[in-house]
Every structure is written in structure tokens, then in C-alpha cells.
Amino acid sequence: MTVLLALHAVLGLSGVAFGARLGRRGLWLGVLGPLVTVVWLIVALPGVLDGEVVSETVRWVPALGIDVDLRLDGFAALMVVLVSGIGVLVYAYAARYFPREGPDLGRLIGLLTLFSGSMLGLVLTDNLLVLYGFWELTSVTSFLLIGNTHRDGKARAAALQALLVTGVGALAMLAGFIVLGQAAGTYRLSRIVADPPEADTTVVGALVLILLGAFTKSAQYPFHSWLPGAMVAPTPVSAYLHSATMVKAGVYLVARLAPAFAPVGIWRPLVVTVGLVTMIGAGLRALRQTDLKLLLAMGTVSQLGFMTAVFGWGSPEAVAAGCVLLLAHGAFKAAAFMVVGILDHQHGSRDIRALPRPAAGWQTVTIVTLVSSASMAGVPLVLGFVSKEAALDAFVRAEGAGGTLALVGLVAGSMLTAAYSARFAAGALGRLARPDAARACAEGSHGPPVTAFVAPALVLTAFTVLVGVLPALADGVAGTAAVALDPLVEPVHLAVWHGFNLPLLLSLIALAGGVALFLGRGRVEPVLAAGHTAQASSAGAYAAALRGLNALADRVTGIVQPGSLPIYIGVITFTAAVIPGALLLTGPSWPGWPELVRTPGHIAAAAVIIGAALAAAVVRRRFTAALFLGVTGYAMAGLFVVQGAPDLALTQVSIETLTTVLFVLVLRRLPDRFEHRQPQWRRALRIAVAASVAGTVFFLALASDAEDPPTPASDTMVERALPDGEGRNVVNVILVDFRGWDTLGEITVLAAAAIGTVALARSGRRPTGSPSIQMRGSGGDPLSGSSDHRVPPAVRLSRLVTLDVSMRAVFIAVMVGSLYLLFAGHNQPGGGFAGGIVAGAAVALRYISGGIDEVRRMSRSQPWTVLGTGVLLAATVALVPLAVGGAVLETGSFSLHPPLLGTVKLTSTLAFDIGVYLAVIGLALMVFESFGDDPPPRPVGRRVEDSDTPAQAPPTPEKHR
């Protein structure tokens, strides 16, 4: 099963990356994922129908109970039929729907495959936390699919609404998962439903949060408005995501939990009420629609409410009926969406007031329309009738007043379903069109569709009729799915005729009521229109919520984000000092003064650090302050050397070197001097904050050094570095092995920060008039951007050539040293991070000698390419062990015996370290790309960062423009 998920990921990412070249042909690449899944399911299905469970586990984070537990039981098999089986048909349908070439078509196909894999993982996973991960992946891919035509503002708004509504619900659901998992002592879904925890207040709260996520995902009232808006997506996307798969994720979750938690007091009233309100409310909305796609969208919302109510009841009979409903709905709703797409593709319209009657060649489309509408309405001899009768029978058997009220609601909702099904059929077949509009639409039509265009819908139609006439064919799949949810379910025996009983009578009443509503639409529609107001709709509530949130954000931001850097730093540092300081004062008694000086080197290092720090605080020039800060860093490196930590000292020196160059690059764009123009009380406040921070840090350091607490984690890492990590440099083994996940996360964050920095720097650049000259021999100073015209050109050229040659020699030596640190770092001081920092210092040398052009000539690749390659390499090395049955970041090693070199031992952590090395080099290159260009003229006057209140810099003098 992990192979299937990996296949979808590879195919989807390939489609996104290379789909622009493939165009519509990319569909044949993307369909391989669902097709292979269907073949795998066919092979596994006989065992599943016999009650077997196919399971697979990949260890991930066992300490947190997070493992990729995959489980194929009867209900999961039913969902795979919907996800992958209908998925194959949708791909075949899309091959005729989309043009051969189109903007963003390849990306859409790749995203569709990624969504298919995400949905497959959602229905197969048995771990709640992993289920949440796949849940969010379906939301993200759906967001990208809905907004694929990103130049369309309507598509962007609809995609954002879908993401916000489902995302907020998902966060609530995650909280519920965590609470429920902690209460049950496991995050395995199968174990939780087999032995549910006691329904105390905590568990009830968790269930409510989980249901909130399910309701938002399956578009239940009042969270339904995102689904009609999502109809801006292409019809194949709607047929797949919004009828057969994604919108059923919430129903799937309710179905999994209902048998175990239906007896909990709040479950049935909440779930069944929400489902029935959704079924009836959306049914009424569907009767007002003139766009066939919106009609089906509201019908989908109504049917989702139907399924939610049935599964939510939780009885064995309701569970069995819900499984048949899932199967029937997936078949008839996907076929109906395909019909809408065919009409829109051929006629250029979906408006029931303009669609013409079918002409010659449209017989197959007519058949699909009539059968899918009949199944949706519950007409006998189609699968929809069998499923609806089973659902009514389940509530007829229900005990108590609650079951009776729910039954009444289902019958009322079924009347509306029959009415909008008739409206859909009549509208699609041109029975509701205005003659002039239908005539104009027919004149612009492309004619009847080709057989291959209708064939996927015909397959679903044939299935609907076949199983509707011979429902016993679905006994095995539906019965096994129901037993997987609730072992108390009796053997399922579906039939067209169970005798003249109450469920049949209720079905006939619902059909008759629906026909009456359709025939009386002339009187019904004005009543529905009068009862609808935009203010009362959920779409209006969503818009009002967004406006209110933006207004609140503006108010809060105006208060807590005034734009003053000193205020930000003061609040952060003061908070960081007050809380630990309060704990220090209220804690145990003072442990006494530790030994302050152990070697003479401590005195020298401390004196330099204190002196340089004080100097940085009192000098007036920014550049001088930056140099003094660098001195404090170098002195700290010396302290590390005295303490016997050469790795830390090496890293500190490299970072200080690179940071000093970065300071210089940035300071070129700021005024030369600090401006102190704040009142005395503000200066006193700054001094108080600084003193509190200094005092807290000082005394915390003394208190922590006075005791020698046990360090079992550190001791274990030191002991296991060589046998487990196969390295003698404990620091490097920790970075690339023991805590490799942390390192991977850190370089990923660095990559994101670097990309943002470049974007901000580029957006803030302004043309400065004449271009500066930074070529060798020009006399330009890369650091100051100035030229000394008083020096004769020959002398200036000689000086720069000498500097250039010297810098190149030093650059090569420094780069060789960085490579040595990279390859030797697993057993000696060094590593990928230290080597990358040293290489960044070498880049700084090239910049000093030749400016940004010299740095750009170093590599043909863009800086972000180097950075991304490093992150991708590290991530690949971390995940490769999963493919061979190992754990993430599991270390592998092998030995080579080349001539003259003896034995050379290589480990997988070296490749991970190379990724870190490239990421750090890419980060350095991006820093120079951001700030290495010639600066604009130095601004004068007060700057924002020099005061406690925001201020605008004065305009650039005219002579510099």
C-alpha cells in the first residue's frame, strides 16, 4: 500500500513538473496511479470479502504514537472502489473534455493525481494523526485544483473559501483526535472503535471537535457554501472531488466512529439533526437553480446530509444501508456531472433556460441523464431505489421518538430529492428552455459528442442499472463493508422486492411528492425565492466573518505592530527575562557562587567580550558597532577553544565572518551614524530593559553552573555515537543522525527564509540612475560602491589585479578547507554545516575582490537552485530507508578498497551532510544576491529602527535620482 501511495506521489509531482510539455497526454501518465490501485484491489478483494484484513505498518515516530499504519478492510475496499474506480473513469472522461494543449493543464492533471493519492491514503490509514495529514493534503490539493485558473478572481476566491472552511474544521478535528487518542491510549482507529474509551466530558468534547471537522469537509449546514462555490473548477474535477471522493471524507469518518459512539448522548441528536437539516435545506436550494452544475452541487450537499444522517444513527441496519448509499451516490452523481460537462462542452451552456432538446446522435447522453436522475430520485429498478429503501427500512426499525422524527425528515428530504432530480432531467433534456434561447444555443452547438466522451458515464449508468435490477450482486461488497464498521451487522441481502411494506410505501410517497413539487414549480419557485435572502445564507455569513476578521486584525495589528523595531525587541527580551527571573527569585535558595575563573584564558576572553560589547553599545557609527559585535563573537570562539570545544569554535568563527560581511552589505543602505532623538524617559526605559535582561541571564548562568544535574540523554549520545552513528565526532553525529529530523527542518526553514529575503530585497530595490561599475580594473569598491578618481588608472588597475589574484588563491584554499571539513567532519571537527559556513566565507572573499558579478560567475546555477538541491538531497537521504523497510534517517554504510588509499568507509550520513553543505552555500549565495548589488545613496535623517515610533525616511535628494 505504501508503494501505491508513493506511485501516486511520483506521478503527481511528475505531472506538475513536466505536464506543460505533455499537455492532455499527461492524463495517460496520471491514470496509472488509480489504475494500478484498481488492479491491486481486484487481486486483494477475494480475501477481503472473506473477512481478511490487509495491513502494513511503517515506523515513523513511535515515541509519539505516529506510525504509518495502513489497513484494508471491507469498508476501506468500498471507499477504494469510489476513489480509484471512479477515478479511472474520470481520467478517461477528461481525455475528451480537455483540449490537447491548454494553460496550466499539465499542473491540473498532476494535482488531480496527487489528490487521488491523498484520498487513497485517507481511506487506508489506521492512525488518526496520519489520517489528519492525508485529510489536509486533500484540502490543499483541492484548493489548488479549484483555483487552477489562478488568473480568475472568482476561482481564487472559491479556492480560498474551501481551504479556510475545511481548514478551520480540520484544526478542530486535530484537537479532537489528540484528546480522543490520549483518552483511548492509542491513535489506532481500529482499536479505538473496537474498545472505545469511557464517554466522559473529555471524550464528548473530543467527539464534537471531530464532528466539526467532518461537517466542514462534507459541506454540512451551516458550512456548506464552499461546495457550490467550488463549481468554478473544471467538470472532471467536480465529478471526482465533489461527488465521488473528497466530500465523502467527512461521511467516511462519521461512518467509522458511529457504531462505537452512537450511544453517547450527544452523538445521535447532533449528527442526525445536522444531516437532516442539510438534506432538506440544500434540497430546497436545488429547486431554485438554473445552472445544472449548481443544481447538482446543491443536490450533492443534500445527499451528503442524507448519508450523514443514516451513518450517524449508528445502528447495524443504518450502517449497512449507508454502505449501499455510498456506492449508489458515487455512481449516479459522477455520471450526472459528466452529463453536465458534455452539455457545456458541446453547447457552451449549462443554463436550463437555454439548453436545446437532444437531436440525433444524443441518445446515449439522454439515457445517461434519465438513468442517473432516476437513481438520484430513487425510482425502482435502479441502484438508488435499493439504497433509499434500505435507509428508510433502517429508520422504520429504529426505536423511540427520535427514530420516528428522523424518518419523517428523511421522507421530506427524499421528496425534495425526487423534485430536483426531475428538474435536472428536464433541464438537461431541454424541456425547461425558452424557445428563442434554445434555438440560439443549438445554432452554436458543436453537435453530438463522440462515443468515447460518453463512454465513462455509460459505464456508470450500466452499473447503476445492473445492480439496480440484480442488487444481490452488491451483497458481498456492501455486507463486508458494513461488517467492517460494525461486527453486529447481519448478512446483507439486497433485493428489488421485499413485499408491500412500510419502506416501499414511504418510497412511493416520496416519489409522488417530488413529482408534485416539480409539476407545481410555477408556484413553488416564487415561494422559495421570497424565502431566500443573501444575509441569511452561509455565503453571506462567510463574507461577514471575513470582513470582521480583517477589521479585527487591522485593530490588533495597529496596536501590537506599530512598526518600531526597538519596541519589538524590548517586549521580547523583557518577557524572556521577567519569566525566568521570577522563577529564579521564587525558587530554591541561592546555591552559592561557583568557581568563576578556572584558567587564565577565561579572564582574557571575558575581558574582550565585555569591552567589545560595551564599545558596540556606545559608539555612534553603525559600521564600527558591527565590527565590535564581530569581536565579541570571535572572543566567544576563543572561550570555546579554552573549554575544549573546537567544533563550536570553528562554527562560531565561520558564522562571525559571514555575519560581519552581511552586516556590511546591509549597513551600506542605512545612515552612517546612529541617531538618538528619543526622550529621556524612553532612554531610561531602554536601560532598565537591558539591565533586567543582563541581570537575569547572568544569574541564571551562575545558578545553572552551580549544580551538576544528571545528563542521561547527552551521555547516551556520547556512548552511542560510534556504534550507532559510526562517527567519532559526537556533534556531527547528533546533527546528521540522532537529531537529523531537526537538521532537516532547520535547513528547510532556512530555505524558506532565504527565498522570502530575496523576494523582499528585490521588491525594495529602486533604480539609482547610472549603473555602477564593478568590473575588475574599474576602481569600484564592492563594499562601499564608491570609486577613488584621484588614484591614477594604471595604479588602480594594478592594485585591483593584485587583490583579485590574491583573493582567488585564498578562495581556492578556503574552499579546499571547507571540503576537508565536510568529508572529515564525521570523525573530526567539522561537518556539512561548518564546511558550508567556511565556503560562504570564501564566497565573501570573491565578492570583496569582484563584486556581485564575480559571485554570479562562480556557478551557472541560480542560488536558489543550489539551496533547493541541498534540501532535496537531505530529504531524499532521510526517506530512502523507508523504501527498503528501514526507518527514517536510518544509517547505512559500506567500505571500498581502492588502490593506494587502503580502506575507505562511506556512510549515508555523508550524503545527508552534503545536502546540508549545499544548503548553507546556497543560503550564502542568496544573501549576496539579496544585498550584494550597489546600494542606493545613503539615506539621511532619522530612520524607523532608530526610534520607538515609526517614521518615514526623507525622500531621496534630487541629485541622486
Side-chain angles (χ1 to χ4, degrees):
M1 289 181 277
T2 53
V3 174
L4 293 174
L5 297 178
L7 176 63
H8 281 82
V10 171
L11 293 174
L13 293 174
S14 300
V16 173
F18 308 109
R21 301 178 183 178
L22 296 174
R24 192 173 65 184
R25 296 188 301 272
L27 287 166
W28 306 117
L29 176 67
V31 76
L32 291 177
L35 186 60
V36 171
T37 304
V38 170
V39 174
W40 167 78
L41 180 63
I42 292 173
V43 174
L45 194 57
V48 174
L49 293 179
D50 290 336
E52 297 178 6
V53 175
V54 181
S55 60
E56 185 177 333
T57 297
V58 177
R59 307 292 285 175
W60 190 12
V61 191
L64 297 179
I66 307 176
D67 293 321
V68 183
D69 301 308
L70 303 177
R71 189 172 186 270
L72 178 72
D73 59 9
F75 189 61
L78 174 61
M79 294 300 298
V80 172
V81 169
L82 298 177
V83 172
S84 298
I86 294 180
V88 172
L89 297 176
V90 168
Y91 274 91
Y93 171 80
R96 289 292 179 179
Y97 180 89
F98 291 121
R100 292 184 181 275
E101 304 291 340
D104 306 323
L105 179 58
R107 181 176 62 185
L108 183 140
I109 295 170
L111 290 171
L112 197 64
T113 306
L114 289 175
F115 170 83
S116 179
S118 303
M119 193 68 200
L120 181 65
L122 189 153
V123 301
L124 289 178
T125 185
D126 193 38
N127 187 291
L128 288 179
L129 299 181
V130 179
L131 187 150
Y132 168 77
F134 283 116
W135 187 286
E136 288 291 59
L137 284 175
T138 61
S139 295
V140 171
T141 49
S142 173
F143 164 77
L144 296 173
L145 285 166
I146 297 170
N148 189 63
T149 54
H150 52 86
R151 298 172 186 84
D152 183 2
K154 188 176 180 181
R156 293 197 306 270
L160 180 61
Q161 182 179 4
L163 183 65
L164 288 177
V165 173
T166 59
V168 170
L171 290 176
M173 185 187 70
L174 175 60
F177 280 168
I178 294 173
V179 174
L180 182 62
Q182 291 297 315
T186 178
Y187 288 104
R188 292 287 294 267
L189 182 57
S190 58
R191 295 177 183 173
I192 292 175
V193 296
D195 184 18
E198 182 181 354
D200 56 13
T201 305
T202 301
V203 172
V204 171
L207 292 176
V208 172
L209 291 173
I210 293 172
L211 287 174
L212 181 60
F215 292 159
T216 56
K217 195 74 163 183
S218 287
Q220 299 298 287
Y221 268 50
F223 311 109
H224 65 284
S225 62
W226 70 265
L227 183 55
M231 293 300 109
V232 297
T235 301
V237 174
S238 300
Y240 192 35
L241 273 67
H242 304 132
S243 67
T245 52
M246 174 182 150
V247 291
K248 288 190 172 69
V251 175
Y252 167 82
L253 188 57
V254 170
R256 284 289 189 189
L257 297 175
F261 296 103
V264 176
I266 196 174
W267 179 278
R268 277 181 179 162
L270 177 60
V271 178
V272 176
T273 300
V274 169
L276 291 178
V277 169
T278 302
M279 183 183 185
I280 296 172
L284 291 171
R285 292 282 302 275
L287 293 177
R288 298 184 57 252
Q289 305 303 321
T290 57
D291 184 323
L292 281 178
K293 201 172 182 183
L294 286 179
L295 191 157
L296 286 182
M298 297 311 304
T300 298
V301 174
S302 178
Q303 291 290 298
L304 290 170
F306 185 17
M307 288 181 280
T308 298
V310 172
F311 274 120
W313 188 256
S315 67
E317 296 82 8
V319 167
C323 293
V324 185
L325 269 176
L326 274 176
L327 192 61
H329 179 266
F332 71 67
K333 191 54 65 72
F337 267 107
M338 290 180 183
V339 167
V340 174
I342 292 171
L343 294 173
D344 192 16
H345 188 274
Q346 299 302 117
H347 292 315
S349 176
R350 304 189 302 249
D351 194 329
I352 62 176
R353 298 165 297 183
L355 287 172
R357 297 191 177 191
W362 286 86
Q363 291 85 352
T364 54
V365 177
T366 302
I367 292 172
V368 174
T369 302
L370 292 175
V371 172
S372 59
S373 301
S375 186
M376 185 159 48
V379 175
L381 299 183
V382 287
L383 183 55
F385 169 77
V386 177
S387 64
K388 185 169 293 185
E389 193 175 46
L392 293 174
D393 181 65
F395 281 88
V396 167
R397 296 169 181 259
E399 298 178 356
T404 303
L405 291 174
L407 182 61
V408 173
L410 288 182
V411 174
S414 297
M415 287 183 183
L416 297 174
T417 302
Y420 66 69
S421 298
R423 184 179 180 85
F424 171 77
L429 298 179
R431 304 294 174 174
L432 303 179
R434 300 168 182 168
D436 53 343
R439 192 179 307 110
C441 186
E443 292 174 355
S445 173
H446 296 295
V450 297
T451 304
F453 199 3
V454 192
L458 281 174
V459 172
L460 294 169
T461 300
F463 172 80
T464 298
V465 174
L466 179 62
V467 182
V469 175
L470 301 172
L473 295 175
D475 283 353
V477 173
T480 306
V483 171
L485 294 175
D486 188 352
L488 299 179
V489 172
E490 298 178 356
V492 175
H493 299 293
L494 301 175
V496 177
W497 178 255
H498 291 283
F500 191 83
N501 52 21
L502 183 56
L504 177 60
L505 177 61
L506 294 176
S507 295
L508 295 178
I509 292 174
L511 285 174
V515 172
L517 286 173
F518 173 70
L519 295 177
R521 59 186 178 276
R523 297 181 179 180
V524 172
E525 289 180 2
V527 175
L528 295 176
H532 174 75
T533 58
Q535 290 77 15
S537 68
S538 69
Y542 167 78
L546 278 189
R547 288 193 298 268
L549 182 62
N550 286 332
L552 178 63
D554 291 340
R555 294 290 301 273
V556 173
T557 302
I559 296 172
V560 303
Q561 297 285 315
S564 171
L565 295 180
I567 291 179
Y568 299 159
I569 296 174
V571 170
I572 293 171
T573 55
F574 184 72
T575 303
V578 167
I579 296 177
L583 295 176
L584 180 64
L585 293 175
T586 59
S589 59
W590 175 250
W593 291 91
E595 184 180 0
L596 298 179
V597 178
R598 295 174 183 173
T599 67
H602 288 168
I603 299 176
V608 175
I609 291 173
I610 294 172
L614 291 174
V618 299
V619 295
R620 293 298 184 91
R621 292 183 177 274
R622 299 176 188 270
F623 183 76
T624 308
L627 292 181
F628 276 120
L629 287 178
V631 172
T632 61
Y634 288 122
M636 184 62 70
L639 186 60
F640 291 152
V641 172
V642 173
Q643 290 296 106
D647 256 17
L648 292 177
L650 177 64
T651 304
Q652 180 73 19
V653 169
S654 303
I655 289 178
E656 284 300 330
T657 302
L658 194 59
T659 304
T660 301
V661 175
L662 176 60
F663 263 126
V664 172
L665 294 178
V666 175
L667 291 180
R668 296 180 305 156
R669 304 170 184 269
L670 298 177
D672 181 52
R673 292 177 176 271
F674 291 110
E675 298 289 340
H676 300 285
R677 297 181 180 177
Q678 66 274 1
Q680 290 296 327
W681 67 270
R682 286 185 177 175
R683 181 176 299 180
L685 183 61
R686 290 185 176 191
I687 294 175
V689 171
S692 64
V693 172
T696 301
V697 172
F698 177 72
F699 287 107
L700 278 176
L702 293 181
S704 61
D705 189 63
E707 298 182 1
D708 189 14
T711 55
S714 301
D715 297 339
T716 302
M717 289 182 179
V718 173
E719 294 172 0
R720 305 307 304 172
L722 184 58
D724 293 346
E726 303 189 33
R728 293 181 175 84
N729 183 352
V730 179
V731 174
N732 187 256
V733 171
I734 292 173
L735 289 176
V736 301
D737 193 331
F738 295 162
R739 303 299 294 271
W741 267 118
D742 292 352
T743 304
L744 181 60
E746 288 164 1
I747 62 175
T748 304
V749 171
L750 285 176
I755 293 172
T757 301
V758 171
L760 288 174
R762 287 187 167 187
S763 65
R765 288 176 184 168
R766 298 178 181 177
T768 59
S770 59
S772 62
I773 301 175
Q774 292 184 346
M775 301 300 291
R776 288 191 295 270
S778 67
D781 182 359
L783 293 182
S784 66
S786 62
S787 300
D788 188 358
H789 299 287
R790 294 173 297 176
V791 180
V795 176
R796 195 162 62 240
L797 177 62
S798 173
R799 184 179 66 189
L800 289 178
V801 168
T802 303
L803 176 64
D804 184 41
V805 172
S806 302
M807 287 295 186
R808 285 178 179 269
V810 176
F811 169 79
I812 294 173
V814 176
M815 286 300 297
V816 170
S818 74
L819 292 174
Y820 172 79
L821 293 174
L822 168 64
F823 288 101
H826 208 54
N827 291 288
Q828 300 178 29
F833 185 76
I837 291 295
V838 172
V843 174
L845 293 176
R846 293 296 293 268
Y847 176 79
I848 292 173
S849 68
I852 188 63
D853 292 330
E854 187 70 17
V855 174
R856 290 169 177 166
R857 280 194 292 267
M858 288 174 52
S859 173
R860 296 182 180 180
S861 301
Q862 296 289 351
W864 40 87
T865 303
V866 178
L867 179 63
T869 301
V871 175
L872 181 62
L873 176 60
T876 302
V877 173
L879 298 177
V880 161
L882 291 177
V884 294
V888 177
L889 278 171
E890 184 172 334
T891 302
S893 64
F894 58 92
S895 298
L896 301 176
H897 304 280
L900 303 179
L901 296 180
T903 300
V904 177
K905 186 176 182 180
L906 299 176
T907 65
S908 59
T909 54
L910 175 61
F912 186 89
D913 230 4
I914 292 175
V916 176
Y917 178 83
L918 292 175
V920 176
I921 293 179
L923 178 65
L925 291 173
M926 291 187 75
V927 166
F928 287 104
E929 185 69 28
S930 301
F931 304 106
D933 283 342
D934 280 346
R938 286 181 179 272
V940 295
R942 190 163 67 112
R943 295 290 299 232
V944 171
E945 67 271 14
D946 297 323
S947 68
D948 292 334
T949 56
Q952 297 293 331
T956 304
E958 190 66 32
K959 65 179 180 179
H960 290 305
R961 293 182 179 175

